[in-house]
PDB file of all heavy atoms in Angstrom:
ATOM      1  N   GLU A   1      33.461 160.149  53.454  1.00  0.00           N
ATOM      2  CA  GLU A   1      34.125 158.922  53.034  1.00  0.00           C
ATOM      3  C   GLU A   1      35.305 159.267  52.122  1.00  0.00           C
ATOM      4  O   GLU A   1      35.279 160.263  51.404  1.00  0.00           O
ATOM      5  CB  GLU A   1      33.151 158.016  52.289  1.00  0.00           C
ATOM      6  CG  GLU A   1      32.034 157.491  53.162  1.00  0.00           C
ATOM      7  CD  GLU A   1      31.099 156.556  52.398  1.00  0.00           C
ATOM      8  OE1 GLU A   1      31.583 155.523  51.907  1.00  0.00           O
ATOM      9  OE2 GLU A   1      29.910 156.891  52.312  1.00  0.00           O
ATOM     10  N   ASP A   2      36.323 158.403  52.153  1.00  0.00           N
ATOM     11  CA  ASP A   2      37.533 158.610  51.360  1.00  0.00           C
ATOM     12  C   ASP A   2      37.249 158.905  49.892  1.00  0.00           C
ATOM     13  O   ASP A   2      37.885 159.759  49.296  1.00  0.00           O
ATOM     14  CB  ASP A   2      38.419 157.362  51.420  1.00  0.00           C
ATOM     15  CG  ASP A   2      39.370 157.393  52.590  1.00  0.00           C
ATOM     16  OD1 ASP A   2      39.462 158.432  53.264  1.00  0.00           O
ATOM     17  OD2 ASP A   2      40.029 156.363  52.820  1.00  0.00           O
ATOM     18  N   ASN A   3      36.300 158.183  49.319  1.00  0.00           N
ATOM     19  CA  ASN A   3      36.080 158.301  47.876  1.00  0.00           C
ATOM     20  C   ASN A   3      35.484 159.644  47.458  1.00  0.00           C
ATOM     21  O   ASN A   3      35.398 159.934  46.271  1.00  0.00           O
ATOM     22  CB  ASN A   3      35.219 157.145  47.363  1.00  0.00           C
ATOM     23  CG  ASN A   3      33.847 157.100  48.013  1.00  0.00           C
ATOM     24  OD1 ASN A   3      33.588 157.792  48.994  1.00  0.00           O
ATOM     25  ND2 ASN A   3      32.977 156.286  47.471  1.00  0.00           N
ATOM     26  N   LEU A   4      35.077 160.478  48.409  1.00  0.00           N
ATOM     27  CA  LEU A   4      34.512 161.791  48.092  1.00  0.00           C
ATOM     28  C   LEU A   4      35.481 162.942  48.354  1.00  0.00           C
ATOM     29  O   LEU A   4      35.181 164.096  48.036  1.00  0.00           O
ATOM     30  CB  LEU A   4      33.238 162.026  48.901  1.00  0.00           C
ATOM     31  CG  LEU A   4      32.084 161.062  48.654  1.00  0.00           C
ATOM     32  CD1 LEU A   4      30.978 161.288  49.665  1.00  0.00           C
ATOM     33  CD2 LEU A   4      31.571 161.206  47.238  1.00  0.00           C
ATOM     34  N   VAL A   5      36.635 162.626  48.910  1.00  0.00           N
ATOM     35  CA  VAL A   5      37.554 163.672  49.365  1.00  0.00           C
ATOM     36  C   VAL A   5      38.025 164.575  48.224  1.00  0.00           C
ATOM     37  O   VAL A   5      37.961 165.797  48.331  1.00  0.00           O
ATOM     38  CB  VAL A   5      38.757 163.074  50.123  1.00  0.00           C
ATOM     39  CG1 VAL A   5      39.835 164.110  50.377  1.00  0.00           C
ATOM     40  CG2 VAL A   5      38.295 162.459  51.427  1.00  0.00           C
ATOM     41  N   GLU A   6      38.494 164.000  47.129  1.00  0.00           N
ATOM     42  CA  GLU A   6      39.026 164.815  46.035  1.00  0.00           C
ATOM     43  C   GLU A   6      37.958 165.719  45.443  1.00  0.00           C
ATOM     44  O   GLU A   6      38.214 166.876  45.131  1.00  0.00           O
ATOM     45  CB  GLU A   6      39.669 163.949  44.954  1.00  0.00           C
ATOM     46  CG  GLU A   6      41.039 163.426  45.334  1.00  0.00           C
ATOM     47  CD  GLU A   6      42.025 164.517  45.773  1.00  0.00           C
ATOM     48  OE1 GLU A   6      42.100 165.586  45.116  1.00  0.00           O
ATOM     49  OE2 GLU A   6      42.715 164.324  46.787  1.00  0.00           O
ATOM     50  N   ARG A   7      36.742 165.203  45.285  1.00  0.00           N
ATOM     51  CA  ARG A   7      35.650 166.022  44.754  1.00  0.00           C
ATOM     52  C   ARG A   7      35.327 167.173  45.697  1.00  0.00           C
ATOM     53  O   ARG A   7      35.064 168.291  45.268  1.00  0.00           O
ATOM     54  CB  ARG A   7      34.412 165.169  44.504  1.00  0.00           C
ATOM     55  CG  ARG A   7      34.595 164.230  43.321  1.00  0.00           C
ATOM     56  CD  ARG A   7      33.466 163.254  43.159  1.00  0.00           C
ATOM     57  NE  ARG A   7      32.186 163.924  42.968  1.00  0.00           N
ATOM     58  CZ  ARG A   7      31.013 163.356  43.199  1.00  0.00           C
ATOM     59  NH1 ARG A   7      30.945 162.118  43.629  1.00  0.00           N
ATOM     60  NH2 ARG A   7      29.890 164.011  42.998  1.00  0.00           N
ATOM     61  N   ALA A   8      35.356 166.906  46.994  1.00  0.00           N
ATOM     62  CA  ALA A   8      35.080 167.954  47.986  1.00  0.00           C
ATOM     63  C   ALA A   8      36.171 169.017  47.961  1.00  0.00           C
ATOM     64  O   ALA A   8      35.873 170.219  48.004  1.00  0.00           O
ATOM     65  CB  ALA A   8      34.950 167.345  49.381  1.00  0.00           C
ATOM     66  N   ILE A   9      37.419 168.600  47.875  1.00  0.00           N
ATOM     67  CA  ILE A   9      38.533 169.553  47.821  1.00  0.00           C
ATOM     68  C   ILE A   9      38.402 170.451  46.593  1.00  0.00           C
ATOM     69  O   ILE A   9      38.535 171.671  46.683  1.00  0.00           O
ATOM     70  CB  ILE A   9      39.888 168.812  47.819  1.00  0.00           C
ATOM     71  CG1 ILE A   9      40.145 168.180  49.189  1.00  0.00           C
ATOM     72  CG2 ILE A   9      41.028 169.761  47.439  1.00  0.00           C
ATOM     73  CD1 ILE A   9      41.333 167.240  49.218  1.00  0.00           C
ATOM     74  N   GLU A  10      38.129 169.846  45.443  1.00  0.00           N
ATOM     75  CA  GLU A  10      37.968 170.628  44.210  1.00  0.00           C
ATOM     76  C   GLU A  10      36.816 171.624  44.334  1.00  0.00           C
ATOM     77  O   GLU A  10      36.935 172.778  43.918  1.00  0.00           O
ATOM     78  CB  GLU A  10      37.728 169.700  43.017  1.00  0.00           C
ATOM     79  CG  GLU A  10      38.959 168.956  42.563  1.00  0.00           C
ATOM     80  CD  GLU A  10      38.647 167.953  41.457  1.00  0.00           C
ATOM     81  OE1 GLU A  10      37.649 168.140  40.725  1.00  0.00           O
ATOM     82  OE2 GLU A  10      39.406 166.978  41.339  1.00  0.00           O
ATOM     83  N   ALA A  11      35.700 171.174  44.893  1.00  0.00           N
ATOM     84  CA  ALA A  11      34.531 172.053  45.049  1.00  0.00           C
ATOM     85  C   ALA A  11      34.865 173.234  45.940  1.00  0.00           C
ATOM     86  O   ALA A  11      34.521 174.385  45.622  1.00  0.00           O
ATOM     87  CB  ALA A  11      33.352 171.259  45.619  1.00  0.00           C
ATOM     88  N   ILE A  12      35.549 172.983  47.057  1.00  0.00           N
ATOM     89  CA  ILE A  12      35.912 174.060  47.978  1.00  0.00           C
ATOM     90  C   ILE A  12      36.892 175.017  47.306  1.00  0.00           C
ATOM     91  O   ILE A  12      36.724 176.240  47.365  1.00  0.00           O
ATOM     92  CB  ILE A  12      36.503 173.499  49.290  1.00  0.00           C
ATOM     93  CG1 ILE A  12      35.437 172.723  50.059  1.00  0.00           C
ATOM     94  CG2 ILE A  12      37.075 174.630  50.146  1.00  0.00           C
ATOM     95  CD1 ILE A  12      35.986 171.883  51.199  1.00  0.00           C
ATOM     96  N   GLN A  13      37.914 174.455  46.653  1.00  0.00           N
ATOM     97  CA  GLN A  13      38.914 175.302  45.993  1.00  0.00           C
ATOM     98  C   GLN A  13      38.284 176.224  44.962  1.00  0.00           C
ATOM     99  O   GLN A  13      38.551 177.422  44.941  1.00  0.00           O
ATOM    100  CB  GLN A  13      39.969 174.441  45.288  1.00  0.00           C
ATOM    101  CG  GLN A  13      41.123 174.068  46.166  1.00  0.00           C
ATOM    102  CD  GLN A  13      42.189 173.355  45.369  1.00  0.00           C
ATOM    103  OE1 GLN A  13      41.947 172.283  44.823  1.00  0.00           O
ATOM    104  NE2 GLN A  13      43.357 173.928  45.312  1.00  0.00           N
ATOM    105  N   GLN A  14      37.450 175.668  44.103  1.00  0.00           N
ATOM    106  CA  GLN A  14      36.843 176.476  43.045  1.00  0.00           C
ATOM    107  C   GLN A  14      35.902 177.538  43.617  1.00  0.00           C
ATOM    108  O   GLN A  14      35.895 178.676  43.167  1.00  0.00           O
ATOM    109  CB  GLN A  14      36.104 175.582  42.055  1.00  0.00           C
ATOM    110  CG  GLN A  14      37.058 174.754  41.205  1.00  0.00           C
ATOM    111  CD  GLN A  14      36.333 173.771  40.299  1.00  0.00           C
ATOM    112  OE1 GLN A  14      35.123 173.739  40.235  1.00  0.00           O
ATOM    113  NE2 GLN A  14      37.113 172.958  39.604  1.00  0.00           N
ATOM    114  N   ALA A  15      35.114 177.174  44.613  1.00  0.00           N
ATOM    115  CA  ALA A  15      34.131 178.109  45.164  1.00  0.00           C
ATOM    116  C   ALA A  15      34.777 179.193  46.032  1.00  0.00           C
ATOM    117  O   ALA A  15      34.278 180.320  46.078  1.00  0.00           O
ATOM    118  CB  ALA A  15      33.084 177.350  45.970  1.00  0.00           C
ATOM    119  N   ALA A  16      35.863 178.885  46.710  1.00  0.00           N
ATOM    120  CA  ALA A  16      36.485 179.839  47.631  1.00  0.00           C
ATOM    121  C   ALA A  16      37.546 180.708  46.968  1.00  0.00           C
ATOM    122  O   ALA A  16      37.985 181.696  47.547  1.00  0.00           O
ATOM    123  CB  ALA A  16      37.097 179.093  48.818  1.00  0.00           C
ATOM    124  N   HIS A  17      37.936 180.374  45.758  1.00  0.00           N
ATOM    125  CA  HIS A  17      39.041 181.057  45.087  1.00  0.00           C
ATOM    126  C   HIS A  17      38.673 182.470  44.647  1.00  0.00           C
ATOM    127  O   HIS A  17      37.638 182.685  44.028  1.00  0.00           O
ATOM    128  CB  HIS A  17      39.463 180.240  43.858  1.00  0.00           C
ATOM    129  CG  HIS A  17      40.605 180.834  43.123  1.00  0.00           C
ATOM    130  ND1 HIS A  17      40.422 181.645  42.029  1.00  0.00           N
ATOM    131  CD2 HIS A  17      41.940 180.758  43.324  1.00  0.00           C
ATOM    132  CE1 HIS A  17      41.604 182.031  41.574  1.00  0.00           C
ATOM    133  NE2 HIS A  17      42.532 181.502  42.351  1.00  0.00           N
ATOM    134  N   THR A  18      39.525 183.432  45.007  1.00  0.00           N
ATOM    135  CA  THR A  18      39.395 184.794  44.482  1.00  0.00           C
ATOM    136  C   THR A  18      40.665 185.190  43.737  1.00  0.00           C
ATOM    137  O   THR A  18      40.663 186.137  42.971  1.00  0.00           O
ATOM    138  CB  THR A  18      39.176 185.838  45.604  1.00  0.00           C
ATOM    139  OG1 THR A  18      40.364 185.946  46.388  1.00  0.00           O
ATOM    140  CG2 THR A  18      37.979 185.498  46.465  1.00  0.00           C
ATOM    141  N   GLY A  19      41.752 184.467  43.991  1.00  0.00           N
ATOM    142  CA  GLY A  19      43.030 184.806  43.384  1.00  0.00           C
ATOM    143  C   GLY A  19      43.827 185.810  44.199  1.00  0.00           C
ATOM    144  O   GLY A  19      44.940 186.159  43.846  1.00  0.00           O
ATOM    145  N   ARG A  20      43.250 186.243  45.312  1.00  0.00           N
ATOM    146  CA  ARG A  20      43.929 187.212  46.168  1.00  0.00           C
ATOM    147  C   ARG A  20      44.522 186.510  47.381  1.00  0.00           C
ATOM    148  O   ARG A  20      44.036 185.454  47.802  1.00  0.00           O
ATOM    149  CB  ARG A  20      42.955 188.285  46.642  1.00  0.00           C
ATOM    150  CG  ARG A  20      42.464 189.177  45.533  1.00  0.00           C
ATOM    151  CD  ARG A  20      41.903 190.450  46.143  1.00  0.00           C
ATOM    152  NE  ARG A  20      41.381 191.311  45.097  1.00  0.00           N
ATOM    153  CZ  ARG A  20      40.097 191.579  44.936  1.00  0.00           C
ATOM    154  NH1 ARG A  20      39.204 191.053  45.753  1.00  0.00           N
ATOM    155  NH2 ARG A  20      39.705 192.369  43.978  1.00  0.00           N
ATOM    156  N   ILE A  21      45.484 187.156  47.982  1.00  0.00           N
ATOM    157  CA  ILE A  21      46.080 186.615  49.200  1.00  0.00           C
ATOM    158  C   ILE A  21      44.990 186.499  50.269  1.00  0.00           C
ATOM    159  O   ILE A  21      44.081 187.318  50.337  1.00  0.00           O
ATOM    160  CB  ILE A  21      47.253 187.512  49.667  1.00  0.00           C
ATOM    161  CG1 ILE A  21      48.085 186.792  50.725  1.00  0.00           C
ATOM    162  CG2 ILE A  21      46.764 188.854  50.150  1.00  0.00           C
ATOM    163  CD1 ILE A  21      49.435 187.429  50.965  1.00  0.00           C
ATOM    164  N   GLY A  22      45.056 185.441  51.057  1.00  0.00           N
ATOM    165  CA  GLY A  22      44.066 185.240  52.118  1.00  0.00           C
ATOM    166  C   GLY A  22      42.883 184.390  51.708  1.00  0.00           C
ATOM    167  O   GLY A  22      41.901 184.310  52.432  1.00  0.00           O
ATOM    168  N   ASP A  23      42.950 183.741  50.536  1.00  0.00           N
ATOM    169  CA  ASP A  23      41.853 182.869  50.101  1.00  0.00           C
ATOM    170  C   ASP A  23      41.630 181.714  51.069  1.00  0.00           C
ATOM    171  O   ASP A  23      40.532 181.209  51.175  1.00  0.00           O
ATOM    172  CB  ASP A  23      42.117 182.306  48.707  1.00  0.00           C
ATOM    173  CG  ASP A  23      41.612 183.216  47.598  1.00  0.00           C
ATOM    174  OD1 ASP A  23      40.952 184.235  47.909  1.00  0.00           O
ATOM    175  OD2 ASP A  23      41.867 182.902  46.425  1.00  0.00           O
ATOM    176  N   GLY A  24      42.668 181.304  51.771  1.00  0.00           N
ATOM    177  CA  GLY A  24      42.497 180.294  52.805  1.00  0.00           C
ATOM    178  C   GLY A  24      43.309 179.039  52.585  1.00  0.00           C
ATOM    179  O   GLY A  24      44.180 178.966  51.727  1.00  0.00           O
ATOM    180  N   LYS A  25      42.972 178.034  53.365  1.00  0.00           N
ATOM    181  CA  LYS A  25      43.676 176.749  53.338  1.00  0.00           C
ATOM    182  C   LYS A  25      42.666 175.625  53.502  1.00  0.00           C
ATOM    183  O   LYS A  25      41.589 175.812  54.065  1.00  0.00           O
ATOM    184  CB  LYS A  25      44.662 176.648  54.512  1.00  0.00           C
ATOM    185  CG  LYS A  25      45.758 177.661  54.554  1.00  0.00           C
ATOM    186  CD  LYS A  25      46.995 177.127  53.903  1.00  0.00           C
ATOM    187  CE  LYS A  25      48.232 177.971  54.084  1.00  0.00           C
ATOM    188  NZ  LYS A  25      48.125 179.387  54.040  1.00  0.00           N
ATOM    189  N   ILE A  26      43.054 174.432  53.051  1.00  0.00           N
ATOM    190  CA  ILE A  26      42.261 173.217  53.252  1.00  0.00           C
ATOM    191  C   ILE A  26      43.177 172.192  53.910  1.00  0.00           C
ATOM    192  O   ILE A  26      44.307 171.980  53.447  1.00  0.00           O
ATOM    193  CB  ILE A  26      41.720 172.649  51.916  1.00  0.00           C
ATOM    194  CG1 ILE A  26      40.825 173.674  51.229  1.00  0.00           C
ATOM    195  CG2 ILE A  26      40.975 171.342  52.156  1.00  0.00           C
ATOM    196  CD1 ILE A  26      40.415 173.291  49.819  1.00  0.00           C
ATOM    197  N   PHE A  27      42.693 171.580  54.982  1.00  0.00           N
ATOM    198  CA  PHE A  27      43.447 170.546  55.681  1.00  0.00           C
ATOM    199  C   PHE A  27      42.632 169.251  55.650  1.00  0.00           C
ATOM    200  O   PHE A  27      41.420 169.288  55.872  1.00  0.00           O
ATOM    201  CB  PHE A  27      43.709 170.943  57.141  1.00  0.00           C
ATOM    202  CG  PHE A  27      44.425 172.258  57.279  1.00  0.00           C
ATOM    203  CD1 PHE A  27      43.720 173.411  57.587  1.00  0.00           C
ATOM    204  CD2 PHE A  27      45.795 172.345  57.085  1.00  0.00           C
ATOM    205  CE1 PHE A  27      44.361 174.637  57.712  1.00  0.00           C
ATOM    206  CE2 PHE A  27      46.455 173.566  57.216  1.00  0.00           C
ATOM    207  CZ  PHE A  27      45.735 174.717  57.526  1.00  0.00           C
ATOM    208  N   VAL A  28      43.299 168.140  55.398  1.00  0.00           N
ATOM    209  CA  VAL A  28      42.629 166.839  55.358  1.00  0.00           C
ATOM    210  C   VAL A  28      43.332 165.917  56.345  1.00  0.00           C
ATOM    211  O   VAL A  28      44.553 165.758  56.290  1.00  0.00           O
ATOM    212  CB  VAL A  28      42.681 166.225  53.936  1.00  0.00           C
ATOM    213  CG1 VAL A  28      41.966 164.893  53.905  1.00  0.00           C
ATOM    214  CG2 VAL A  28      42.096 167.187  52.914  1.00  0.00           C
ATOM    215  N   THR A  29      42.544 165.330  57.254  1.00  0.00           N
ATOM    216  CA  THR A  29      43.101 164.414  58.240  1.00  0.00           C
ATOM    217  C   THR A  29      42.262 163.142  58.299  1.00  0.00           C
ATOM    218  O   THR A  29      41.054 163.175  58.040  1.00  0.00           O
ATOM    219  CB  THR A  29      43.136 165.051  59.651  1.00  0.00           C
ATOM    220  OG1 THR A  29      41.841 165.531  59.973  1.00  0.00           O
ATOM    221  CG2 THR A  29      44.115 166.195  59.717  1.00  0.00           C
ATOM    222  N   PRO A  30      42.885 162.014  58.641  1.00  0.00           N
ATOM    223  CA  PRO A  30      42.114 160.767  58.778  1.00  0.00           C
ATOM    224  C   PRO A  30      41.224 160.802  60.013  1.00  0.00           C
ATOM    225  O   PRO A  30      41.573 161.417  61.020  1.00  0.00           O
ATOM    226  CB  PRO A  30      43.175 159.681  58.909  1.00  0.00           C
ATOM    227  CG  PRO A  30      44.456 160.374  59.218  1.00  0.00           C
ATOM    228  CD  PRO A  30      44.319 161.816  58.846  1.00  0.00           C
ATOM    229  N   VAL A  31      40.076 160.159  59.913  1.00  0.00           N
ATOM    230  CA  VAL A  31      39.156 160.028  61.038  1.00  0.00           C
ATOM    231  C   VAL A  31      39.053 158.551  61.368  1.00  0.00           C
ATOM    232  O   VAL A  31      38.715 157.733  60.515  1.00  0.00           O
ATOM    233  CB  VAL A  31      37.763 160.614  60.697  1.00  0.00           C
ATOM    234  CG1 VAL A  31      36.758 160.300  61.790  1.00  0.00           C
ATOM    235  CG2 VAL A  31      37.858 162.101  60.467  1.00  0.00           C
ATOM    236  N   GLU A  32      39.352 158.217  62.599  1.00  0.00           N
ATOM    237  CA  GLU A  32      39.367 156.825  63.012  1.00  0.00           C
ATOM    238  C   GLU A  32      37.964 156.278  63.244  1.00  0.00           C
ATOM    239  O   GLU A  32      37.682 155.128  62.929  1.00  0.00           O
ATOM    240  CB  GLU A  32      40.207 156.692  64.284  1.00  0.00           C
ATOM    241  CG  GLU A  32      40.660 155.287  64.530  1.00  0.00           C
ATOM    242  CD  GLU A  32      41.752 155.266  65.566  1.00  0.00           C
ATOM    243  OE1 GLU A  32      42.855 155.734  65.307  1.00  0.00           O
ATOM    244  OE2 GLU A  32      41.454 154.747  66.670  1.00  0.00           O
ATOM    245  N   GLU A  33      37.090 157.092  63.796  1.00  0.00           N
ATOM    246  CA  GLU A  33      35.747 156.610  64.103  1.00  0.00           C
ATOM    247  C   GLU A  33      34.784 157.774  64.168  1.00  0.00           C
ATOM    248  O   GLU A  33      35.172 158.901  64.462  1.00  0.00           O
ATOM    249  CB  GLU A  33      35.753 155.861  65.446  1.00  0.00           C
ATOM    250  CG  GLU A  33      34.429 155.279  65.862  1.00  0.00           C
ATOM    251  CD  GLU A  33      33.898 154.195  64.941  1.00  0.00           C
ATOM    252  OE1 GLU A  33      33.470 154.531  63.822  1.00  0.00           O
ATOM    253  OE2 GLU A  33      33.901 153.031  65.339  1.00  0.00           O
ATOM    254  N   ALA A  34      33.522 157.494  63.861  1.00  0.00           N
ATOM    255  CA  ALA A  34      32.436 158.460  64.006  1.00  0.00           C
ATOM    256  C   ALA A  34      31.262 157.722  64.638  1.00  0.00           C
ATOM    257  O   ALA A  34      30.988 156.574  64.277  1.00  0.00           O
ATOM    258  CB  ALA A  34      32.038 159.029  62.648  1.00  0.00           C
ATOM    259  N   ILE A  35      30.601 158.370  65.575  1.00  0.00           N
ATOM    260  CA  ILE A  35      29.452 157.752  66.262  1.00  0.00           C
ATOM    261  C   ILE A  35      28.311 158.752  66.284  1.00  0.00           C
ATOM    262  O   ILE A  35      28.501 159.894  66.707  1.00  0.00           O
ATOM    263  CB  ILE A  35      29.810 157.348  67.721  1.00  0.00           C
ATOM    264  CG1 ILE A  35      30.947 156.328  67.734  1.00  0.00           C
ATOM    265  CG2 ILE A  35      28.585 156.793  68.439  1.00  0.00           C
ATOM    266  CD1 ILE A  35      32.221 156.861  68.254  1.00  0.00           C
ATOM    267  N   ARG A  36      27.151 158.333  65.800  1.00  0.00           N
ATOM    268  CA  ARG A  36      25.962 159.177  65.898  1.00  0.00           C
ATOM    269  C   ARG A  36      25.392 158.978  67.296  1.00  0.00           C
ATOM    270  O   ARG A  36      25.027 157.866  67.683  1.00  0.00           O
ATOM    271  CB  ARG A  36      24.922 158.785  64.844  1.00  0.00           C
ATOM    272  CG  ARG A  36      23.711 159.715  64.841  1.00  0.00           C
ATOM    273  CD  ARG A  36      22.659 159.270  63.834  1.00  0.00           C
ATOM    274  NE  ARG A  36      23.191 158.979  62.521  1.00  0.00           N
ATOM    275  CZ  ARG A  36      23.307 159.873  61.524  1.00  0.00           C
ATOM    276  NH1 ARG A  36      22.924 161.114  61.722  1.00  0.00           N
ATOM    277  NH2 ARG A  36      23.787 159.513  60.363  1.00  0.00           N
ATOM    278  N   ILE A  37      25.321 160.037  68.073  1.00  0.00           N
ATOM    279  CA  ILE A  37      24.910 159.946  69.468  1.00  0.00           C
ATOM    280  C   ILE A  37      23.490 159.411  69.600  1.00  0.00           C
ATOM    281  O   ILE A  37      23.212 158.550  70.435  1.00  0.00           O
ATOM    282  CB  ILE A  37      25.059 161.315  70.168  1.00  0.00           C
ATOM    283  CG1 ILE A  37      26.555 161.679  70.247  1.00  0.00           C
ATOM    284  CG2 ILE A  37      24.409 161.307  71.547  1.00  0.00           C
ATOM    285  CD1 ILE A  37      26.830 163.070  70.754  1.00  0.00           C
ATOM    286  N   ARG A  38      22.573 159.897  68.767  1.00  0.00           N
ATOM    287  CA  ARG A  38      21.162 159.518  68.894  1.00  0.00           C
ATOM    288  C   ARG A  38      20.939 158.017  68.707  1.00  0.00           C
ATOM    289  O   ARG A  38      20.203 157.395  69.465  1.00  0.00           O
ATOM    290  CB  ARG A  38      20.319 160.297  67.874  1.00  0.00           C
ATOM    291  CG  ARG A  38      18.843 159.942  67.889  1.00  0.00           C
ATOM    292  CD  ARG A  38      18.043 160.794  66.918  1.00  0.00           C
ATOM    293  NE  ARG A  38      18.534 160.772  65.551  1.00  0.00           N
ATOM    294  CZ  ARG A  38      18.170 159.857  64.632  1.00  0.00           C
ATOM    295  NH1 ARG A  38      17.324 158.907  64.941  1.00  0.00           N
ATOM    296  NH2 ARG A  38      18.662 159.915  63.421  1.00  0.00           N
ATOM    297  N   THR A  39      21.593 157.413  67.693  1.00  0.00           N
ATOM    298  CA  THR A  39      21.301 156.012  67.351  1.00  0.00           C
ATOM    299  C   THR A  39      22.406 155.030  67.718  1.00  0.00           C
ATOM    300  O   THR A  39      22.180 153.821  67.708  1.00  0.00           O
ATOM    301  CB  THR A  39      21.056 155.877  65.842  1.00  0.00           C
ATOM    302  OG1 THR A  39      22.268 156.253  65.156  1.00  0.00           O
ATOM    303  CG2 THR A  39      19.892 156.737  65.389  1.00  0.00           C
ATOM    304  N   GLY A  40      23.596 155.542  67.956  1.00  0.00           N
ATOM    305  CA  GLY A  40      24.728 154.655  68.213  1.00  0.00           C
ATOM    306  C   GLY A  40      25.372 154.139  66.937  1.00  0.00           C
ATOM    307  O   GLY A  40      26.305 153.342  67.009  1.00  0.00           O
ATOM    308  N   GLU A  41      24.894 154.562  65.769  1.00  0.00           N
ATOM    309  CA  GLU A  41      25.508 154.121  64.509  1.00  0.00           C
ATOM    310  C   GLU A  41      26.971 154.525  64.498  1.00  0.00           C
ATOM    311  O   GLU A  41      27.343 155.549  65.067  1.00  0.00           O
ATOM    312  CB  GLU A  41      24.797 154.774  63.322  1.00  0.00           C
ATOM    313  CG  GLU A  41      23.389 154.279  63.093  1.00  0.00           C
ATOM    314  CD  GLU A  41      22.663 155.144  62.079  1.00  0.00           C
ATOM    315  OE1 GLU A  41      22.359 156.300  62.425  1.00  0.00           O
ATOM    316  OE2 GLU A  41      22.401 154.640  60.978  1.00  0.00           O
ATOM    317  N   ARG A  42      27.772 153.714  63.817  1.00  0.00           N
ATOM    318  CA  ARG A  42      29.217 153.950  63.779  1.00  0.00           C
ATOM    319  C   ARG A  42      29.740 153.979  62.353  1.00  0.00           C
ATOM    320  O   ARG A  42      29.099 153.477  61.441  1.00  0.00           O
ATOM    321  CB  ARG A  42      29.945 152.847  64.558  1.00  0.00           C
ATOM    322  CG  ARG A  42      29.721 152.947  66.048  1.00  0.00           C
ATOM    323  CD  ARG A  42      30.463 151.852  66.788  1.00  0.00           C
ATOM    324  NE  ARG A  42      30.424 152.105  68.205  1.00  0.00           N
ATOM    325  CZ  ARG A  42      31.397 152.711  68.893  1.00  0.00           C
ATOM    326  NH1 ARG A  42      32.485 153.088  68.282  1.00  0.00           N
ATOM    327  NH2 ARG A  42      31.270 152.934  70.168  1.00  0.00           N
TER     328      ARG A  42
END
């Protein structure tokens, strides 16, 4: 959910950080819909 995005980004950044080249990247994109196959929840 949108309201958790910043906390998730911070958690990933802090945990993945080494300070060396190649630490990685984080990409954030909007999701239009999600469907649970088993129940049909949306």
Side-chain angles (χ1 to χ4, degrees):
E1 294 182 60
D2 272 352
N3 60 349
L4 298 172
V5 170
E6 283 306 316
R7 289 173 59 201
I9 290 170
E10 286 175 25
I12 294 167
Q13 272 186 298
Q14 289 175 4
H17 181 264
T18 68
R20 293 199 182 112
I21 194 165
D23 272 354
K25 299 266 190 321
I26 300 171
F27 303 100
V28 181
T29 53
V31 172
E32 199 166 291
E33 182 64 288
I35 299 110
R36 185 183 311 270
I37 294 173
R38 178 177 54 87
T39 63
E41 291 169 290
R42 290 180 170 264

